[in-house]
């Protein structure tokens, strides 16, 4: 099934493409690193690791190389990023390792979030005119869900919670009270995130004590 | 509001919603507002549906479901379906609603509990093509068939307050989508088993014939609605249905039923 997701519109950058005379011949869209990060958190990123693979020295043209690994509910994704004085903005030329790390993380996050747009931070200084950078006026947005922290519990989550309570032999008003206690709020006031966490907890507990209920509610 | 904010797929529910009131469509699918209340009728239908699906899933898993277990699942699903901040009870009470749900489930299982179901909630995905000019709409239509039988045919389960008339069956967009999808996927037969919530509940059994004429009608209607949706214009459709609309507060600034009661 197609997963709905969104690219936060404010993080999409449209850059005019210019020919050698400076005339605009088209435009291209990029995503800002901050947008990738926001989207990754929306869809359950758990860890981001980075490793410096090459220290910039005179022998390698002052090129830093970093590998980043992103882990989360969607799996594990990695990316490589490099940065040298020739491939970065002059303002950040003294921070090659940090730029390489951002690029590596951006590449891994793009795969993790399934975003096809190149991150702006991956580009070199000579690939665009910074004066052209402006927020996108429009983007093909696949969906516009709110963040799970504020989204209300879904129908499927409600049902799954009550069935898990039933599997433990807890029914009716007792089930509502039990779920309220476990959620820390009434079921009808719970958020999607709270419900998701409790479902994960209950599933984990079932694995530990599989005879906590029958198959009646599963 | 840009059309790009729409869900990536359309569905029979989206088409029906837009056809009944474009502004309601905007609240539900574009702005994704939570409904202001949950009706007991919807809760009952959801719970019965869930318990029936559980019954057949048990069979598919090789277990023999028991009525007592099914009733427990029904009660759990009904509690879940009523766990909303605002439930509009009207003449129902928790006890009467549970009794109605139990009698509908018992009736269905007595009459159709032995159907040879091989899968529940079978997803379908088909393009919407305008038959007048061959244009394919940008959003495909997705849906779920409730039950697939061992012979490949489909059974749709409904709960309704009254029987479907011949006109209902012909112009209902949901049925139109089912019969068109059935034709699209190879002339499958679709049957509707409607649980009618009359004083003495009964099951209405209808075969949805997937004729070319009816599929063409659906595609024409769906294409026109999709074009309307794509304009991003969502005017209200004021009328008697506003009284029971889940977005009346946002749309009209007042809950119509409450205002009517106060006026009376």
């Amino acid at each position: 099934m197609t997963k709905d997701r969104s690219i936060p519109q404010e993080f999409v950058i449209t850059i005019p493409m210019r020919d050698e005379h400076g005339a605009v011949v088209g435009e291209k869209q990029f995503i800002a690193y901050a947008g990738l990060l926001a989207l990754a958190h929306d869809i359950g990123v758990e860890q981001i690791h980075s490793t410096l693979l090459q220290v910039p020295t005179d022998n390698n043209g002052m090129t830093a190389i970093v590998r980043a690994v992103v882990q989360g509910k969607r799996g594990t994704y990695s990316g490589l990023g490099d940065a040298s004085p020739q491939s970065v903005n002059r303002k950040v030329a003294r921070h090659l390792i940090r730029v390489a790390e951002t690029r590596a993380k951006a590449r891994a996050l793009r795969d993790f979030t399934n975003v096809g747009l190149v991150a702006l931070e991956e580009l070199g200084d000579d690939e665009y005119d910074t004066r052209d950078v402006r927020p996108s006026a429009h983007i093909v947005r696949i969906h516009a869900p709110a963040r799970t922290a504020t989204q209300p519990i879904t129908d499927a989550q409600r049902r799954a919670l009550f069935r898990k309570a039933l599997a433990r032999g807890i029914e009716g008003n007792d089930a509502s009270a039990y779920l309220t206690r476990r959620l820390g709020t009434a079921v009808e006031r719970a958020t999607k995130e709270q419900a998701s966490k409790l479902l994960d907890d209950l599933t984990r507990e079932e694995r530990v004590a599989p005879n906590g209920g029958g198959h009646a509610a599963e | 509001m840009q059309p790009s904010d729409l869900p990536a797929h359309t569905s029979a529910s989206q088409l029906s919603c837009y056809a009944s009131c474009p502004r309601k469509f905007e609240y539900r699918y574009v702005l994704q507002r939570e409904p202001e209340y949950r009706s007991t009728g919807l809760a009952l239908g959801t719970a019965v549906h869930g318990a029936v699906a559980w019954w057949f899933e048990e069979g598919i898993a090789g277990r023999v479901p028991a009525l007592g277990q099914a009733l427990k699942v029904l009660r759990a699903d009904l509690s879940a379906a009523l766990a909303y901040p605002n439930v509009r009870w009207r003449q129902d009470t928790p006890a009467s609603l549970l009794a109605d749900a139990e009698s509908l489930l018992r009736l269905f299982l007595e009459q159709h509990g032995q159907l040879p179901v091989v899968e529940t909630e079978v997803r379908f995905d088909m393009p919407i093509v305008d038959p007048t000019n061959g244009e394919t709409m940008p959003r495909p239509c997705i849906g779920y068939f409730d039950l697939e039988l061992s012979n490949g045919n489909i059974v749709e389960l409904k709960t309704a307050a009254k029987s479907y008339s011949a006109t209902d069956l012909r112009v209902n967009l949901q049925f139109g989508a089912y019969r068109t999808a059935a034709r699209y996927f190879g002339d499958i037969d679709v049957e509707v088993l409607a649980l009618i919530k009359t004083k003495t509940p009964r099951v209405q059994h209808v075969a949805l014939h997937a004729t070319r004429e009816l599929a063409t009608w659906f595609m024409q209607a769906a294409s026109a609605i999709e074009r309307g949706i794509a304009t991003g214009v969502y005017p209200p459709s004021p009328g008697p249905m506003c009284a029971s609309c889940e977005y009346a507060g946002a749309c009209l600034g007042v809950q119509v039923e409450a205002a009517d009661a106060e006026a009376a």
Side-chain angles (χ1 to χ4, degrees):
Chain A
M1 186 182 298
T2 308
K3 296 285 183 196
D4 289 338
R5 61 185 171 79
S6 69
I7 302 172
Q9 192 169 351
E10 63 272 29
F11 296 120
V12 174
I13 312 291
T14 303
I15 297 179
M17 297 289 112
R18 296 175 184 275
D19 64 14
E20 66 271 28
H21 307 296
V24 175
V25 293
E27 61 179 30
K28 199 169 177 185
Q29 287 188 322
F30 298 89
I31 185 157
Y33 177 78
L36 284 172
L37 202 55
L39 192 53
H41 280 280
D42 271 356
I43 61 175
V45 68
E46 287 163 357
Q47 289 184 29
I48 305 177
H49 294 292
S50 56
T51 310
L52 180 61
L53 299 182
Q54 179 172 287
V55 178
T57 66
D58 290 338
N59 292 337
N60 56 34
M62 293 299 287
T63 302
I65 301 177
V66 172
R67 179 171 186 263
V69 178
V70 174
Q71 288 179 305
K73 289 177 180 161
R74 290 189 172 188
T76 301
Y77 297 83
S78 65
L80 290 175
D82 66 86
S84 68
Q86 287 74 43
S87 71
V88 301
N89 186 309
R90 283 179 294 278
K91 290 178 189 168
V92 295
R94 288 190 298 156
H95 312 295
L96 294 171
I97 293 173
R98 274 182 265 169
V99 175
E101 185 190 28
T102 301
R103 288 176 174 174
K105 289 199 287 189
R107 291 190 68 81
L109 285 169
R110 279 171 53 203
D111 287 345
F112 180 78
T113 55
N114 193 23
V115 168
L117 298 178
V118 171
L120 188 64
E121 286 78 359
E122 292 178 61
L123 300 185
D125 197 18
D126 57 345
E127 292 178 76
Y128 66 97
D129 185 334
T130 50
R131 288 169 298 182
D132 284 336
V133 175
R134 60 185 166 83
S136 173
H138 60 86
I139 182 173
V140 177
R141 187 153 59 166
I142 296 167
H143 209 87
R147 293 176 184 233
T148 54
T150 52
Q151 276 183 305
I153 182 172
T154 67
D155 285 348
Q157 288 178 320
R158 282 184 181 88
R159 187 165 74 178
L161 285 172
F162 276 90
R163 285 203 184 180
K164 284 199 178 289
L166 177 61
R168 291 161 184 241
I170 308 169
E171 298 179 59
N173 292 337
D174 290 345
S176 296
Y178 170 75
L179 294 171
T180 297
R181 184 170 59 74
R182 294 291 305 259
L183 284 165
T185 184
V187 178
E188 56 266 37
R189 306 279 174 204
T191 65
K192 190 173 178 179
E193 189 173 272
Q194 287 172 316
S196 178
K197 182 178 180 310
L198 180 54
L199 283 167
D200 286 347
D201 290 348
L202 294 173
T203 302
R204 223 176 356 255
E205 290 166 19
E206 283 162 12
R207 285 199 202 107
V208 175
N211 296 326
H215 61 257
E218 293 305 311
Chain B
M1 187 56 60
Q2 298 295 315
S4 56
D5 288 323
L6 294 169
H9 298 88
T10 191
S11 64
S13 300
Q14 286 188 47
L15 295 170
S16 302
C17 183
Y18 186 86
S20 68
C21 177
R23 181 170 284 178
K24 184 175 178 179
F25 175 90
E26 181 184 21
Y27 285 133
R28 177 174 295 168
Y29 295 105
V30 182
L31 302 177
Q32 298 181 50
R33 287 181 81 117
E34 282 296 296
E36 290 159 12
Y37 74 92
R38 157 79 41 132
S39 74
T40 50
L42 181 58
L44 180 141
T46 304
V48 171
H49 232 92
V52 168
W54 173 86
W55 175 272
F56 289 114
E57 282 158 11
E58 286 291 286
I60 293 166
R63 296 187 284 263
V64 181
L67 179 62
Q69 283 176 310
L71 291 171
K72 283 186 175 188
V73 170
L74 176 73
R75 286 193 281 272
D77 285 5
L78 191 59
S79 296
L82 292 169
Y84 267 79
N86 188 9
V87 175
R88 186 171 288 181
W89 286 94
R90 289 183 168 173
Q91 72 276 22
D92 289 318
T93 65
S96 72
L97 195 65
L98 178 59
D100 288 348
E102 287 185 351
S103 64
L104 289 175
L105 180 63
R106 283 175 193 275
L107 176 68
F108 183 87
L109 295 181
E110 274 169 27
Q111 294 191 8
H112 302 284
Q114 300 309 314
L115 281 172
V117 174
V118 293
E119 199 173 343
T120 64
E121 293 286 299
V122 185
R123 188 181 192 271
F124 67 80
D125 186 332
M126 65 175 172
I128 293 184
V129 182
D130 185 342
T132 58
N133 59 11
E135 184 188 350
T136 301
M137 297 299 114
R139 301 193 307 157
C141 180
I142 64 161
Y144 293 87
F145 290 129
D146 286 335
L147 308 172
E148 182 183 351
L149 306 184
S150 55
N151 62 3
N153 289 341
I154 296 298
V155 171
E156 272 301 307
L157 176 65
K158 295 282 168 206
T159 50
K162 60 184 179 66
S163 300
Y164 290 103
S165 68
T167 306
D168 292 335
L169 293 167
R170 188 180 175 87
V171 301
N172 182 307
L173 284 164
Q174 208 142 36
F175 294 153
Y178 296 150
R179 52 162 73 91
T180 306
R183 196 176 163 81
Y184 182 76
F185 290 106
D187 283 336
I188 304 161
D189 286 335
V190 182
E191 295 173 32
V192 173
L193 294 175
L195 285 161
I196 310 300
K197 298 178 288 183
T198 40
K199 194 173 279 184
T200 305
R202 59 191 186 79
V203 181
Q204 182 187 11
H205 186 174
V206 185
L208 292 181
H209 298 297
T211 64
R212 182 176 179 167
E213 178 205 3
L214 289 170
T216 301
W217 171 82
F218 170 77
M219 283 296 185
Q220 280 175 339
S223 305
I225 293 169
E226 279 296 291
R227 287 198 186 95
I229 290 171
T231 61
V233 178
Y234 307 112
S237 179
M241 296 303 284
C242 293
S244 57
C245 179
E246 312 96 296
Y247 300 101
C251 181
L252 303 169
V254 62
Q255 292 288 349
V256 179
E257 274 200 344
D260 284 351
E262 199 172 310

